[in-house]
Amino acid sequence: MDTLKFTVLPGDGIGPEVMETALNVLNHVAQKHQFTLQYEQCYVGGAAIDRHGMALPTATLEACRHSDAILFGSVGGPKWENLPPEEQPERASLLPMRKAFSLFANIRPGLLYPELADASPLKATRIPQGIDMVCVRELTGGIYFGQPKETTTLDNGEKRAVDSMVYHTSEIERIADVAIETARGRGKKICSVDKANVLATSVLWRETVIKYLSEKAPDIKLSHLYVDNAAMQLAGNPGQFDVILTENMFGDILSDLMASICGSLGMLASASLGADKNSHGLPFGLYEPAGGTAPDIAGQGVANPCAQILSAALMLRHSFGKSQAANEIEHAVRQTVSTGTRTQDIAFDTKSVSTQQMAQAILSHLE
Ligand code: IPM
Ligand code: MN
């Protein structure tokens, strides 16, 4: 029997609540599709700071190293906000994890089912077909990691801080590859987003993308937008997008905008794929919901479990090649929200259900 070995990092806030439902769903499909789950739960983020004094303990990192994927909840919260920035859960766990596992490709599907159109802040007339796009964001380069990155005090006592935006051709090509593969599985359109009217890295980005796609993917329809225009287009006419391909910081900002127009953050999953292959010959990856720890509702049992469950589906597809099981989970989630079983964030005028009830409904649609 096929064994799926992964590390479970529930983290903080609503992380543990929604993680439990995702594990139930995984166990359900594992039984049906005859594969075995082998997972170890470890502490990360604020929970790890409280217990081990650091956001990414060595034991957690080691467990991840011995797995084929990571199912991540979310980290951070008001309790740790007064720590120095570099010790805070997000910075001290997520960023080092991305670097340690070369998680260079962040895939965020922006999906708004037409039946959930009233969850979007956009007028329904702007999104007649709902939204169905994917943001492919470079995740280990650019201004997040470029050197030098420092704050110094000048002779006159003034402080000076520097972040460096750096890209190499090879980094651009490998993320372009992920976008190509993603687009081939969908509408075969890529919109590459840069700021080539200002930034040197963006000039290289655009040049490289044009050359690479003309050689490797003449079947893909390629277009380009400056990032400011891309933001405007996303807010005005998101239906034009299939796959957006962009660098680290632009992707951070645009994917939040995409999340917002798709309605609830509680529905958005993400995959961060590594450069290395796992023991299944597929990318090692970290899978996490986009919504964060939601401290305001943590512990109340009302968080939307969908993003975590959909992240588990992405893990099955990308790191374990279980596309059929992943499709079934995605279908069950859609069935559930379409038939009106909804947590408070997407309930509107209808009565809302608890995390557990929503998860139960998803399980029953999997039957
Ligand atoms: C994200 C987050 C992270 C990022 C933070 C928490 C470091 O905003 O995954 O989009 O900026 O990449
Ligand atoms: Mn972000």
Side-chain angles (χ1 to χ4, degrees), residues 36 70 102 120 158 165 183 214 250 263 266 296 300 311:
T36 309
I70 302 167
S102 305
S120 175
E158 183 177 38
M165 195 163 191
S214 74
F250 297 160
D296 51 322
Q300 297 174 20
S311 298

Side-chain angles (χ1 to χ4, degrees), residues 108 137 144 252-253 255-256:
R108 295 188 172 167
R137 165 189 174 194
Y144 273 55
D252 179 44
I253 298 167
S255 65
D256 264 30

Side-chain angles (χ1 to χ4, degrees), residues 109-122 124 127-133 186 258-259 261-264 266-269 304-311 313 317 326-342 345-346 348 358 362:
L111 195 59
L112 175 70
Y113 312 135
E115 56 271 26
L116 265 186
D118 44 351
S120 175
L122 297 187
I127 37 172
Q129 329 287 343
I131 298 170
D132 183 355
M133 59 179 291
R186 310 173 32 95
M258 179 186 77
I261 60 172
C262 288
S264 175
M267 299 299 297
L268 290 184
N304 187 341
C306 291
Q308 188 76 60
I309 291 170
L310 293 170
S311 298
R317 178 178 297 120
N327 291 343
E328 286 174 17
I329 294 172
E330 286 162 354
H331 187 70
V333 168
R334 180 162 184 173
Q335 289 278 302
T336 303
V337 300
S338 301
T339 51
T341 308
R342 299 177 183 180
D345 53 317
I346 51 170
F348 316 113
M358 180 101 156
I362 293 168

Side-chain angles (χ1 to χ4, degrees), residues 5 10 22 26 48 52 58 83-84 109 123 140 142 151 156 229 238 245 255 260 283 290 295 298 301 316 334 343:
K5 196 170 172 205
L26 282 174
H52 303 287
T58 317
L83 289 171
K123 285 198 189 79
T140 48
T151 309
N156 66 2
N229 189 10
L245 162 63
S255 65
S260 144
L316 290 179
R334 180 162 184 173
T343 42

Side-chain angles (χ1 to χ4, degrees), residues 267-281:
M267 299 299 297
L268 290 184
S270 89
S272 301
L273 305 183
D276 302 327
K277 298 278 183 265
N278 64 20
S279 75
H280 296 252

Side-chain angles (χ1 to χ4, degrees), residues 90 94-95 98 108 137 139 144 252 288:
E90 296 90 329
L94 258 189
L95 295 183
R98 286 177 186 167
R108 295 188 172 167
R137 165 189 174 194
L139 202 61
Y144 273 55
D252 179 44
E288 62 174 328

